[in-house]
Amino acid sequence: MTATANMTHATTSTVGAVIRTGLAVTLAASAATMALAAAGRAAGISLDVADAPIPVTGFGVLTAVFSLIGVVLAAVLSRFARRPRRAFIRTTVVLTVLSLVPGVIVDAGAATKALLMLTHLVAAAIVVPAVARRLAA
């Protein structure tokens, strides 16, 4: 007698699964960007932009806000896009690249600019793949 295992993976997911995953990775990304900002400050990198300090918690709050916007985007795409994963990845790659522009033009030192851009890339690296995996190909 032989046994076979059904190894199919769901190609669709519910909006609820997208949101649950999105909330979890939003928390992880927020914690990661705050840790990165704190490590940068501890290493002597200024968190001042235009002579105004950015609090470490500000990194987490803004990461959460924009990550949640991404989760809403994913939920909408999961409902209405023909290929939600592809649409989400394409859109978030463009948005991630655009999010680096302020880091280039902001009134801050080179190390601060690099740290700001790195936090955007770290947040995207955490949120985008995890949420994309929950979307139908």
Side-chain angles (χ1 to χ4, degrees):
M1 174 158 54
T2 61
T4 58
N6 186 354
M7 302 294 275
T8 60
H9 296 284
T11 58
T12 61
S13 65
T14 65
V15 171
V18 170
I19 291 171
R20 282 189 301 278
T21 298
L23 292 175
V25 295
T26 292
L27 291 174
S30 292
T33 57
M34 286 191 302
L36 187 57
R41 185 173 62 190
I45 298 173
S46 171
L47 298 182
D48 292 358
V49 172
D51 296 325
I54 302 172
V56 170
T57 55
F59 285 84
V61 169
L62 287 176
T63 298
V65 168
F66 288 103
S67 295
L68 291 174
I69 289 170
V71 172
V72 170
L73 171 66
V76 169
L77 290 172
S78 75
R79 276 287 283 176
F80 298 108
R82 194 169 113 184
R83 294 187 176 133
R85 183 181 301 163
R86 173 186 262 175
F88 179 74
I89 291 171
R90 286 182 175 181
T91 303
T92 54
V93 166
V94 169
L95 291 174
T96 300
V97 170
L98 289 175
S99 80
L100 301 176
V101 172
V104 172
I105 63 175
V106 72
D107 180 21
T112 303
K113 289 179 178 189
L115 180 63
L116 291 171
M117 290 187 285
L118 181 60
T119 59
H120 290 217
L121 295 174
V122 165
I126 293 169
V127 175
V128 173
V131 173
R133 279 191 295 271
R134 287 296 191 174
L135 296 170

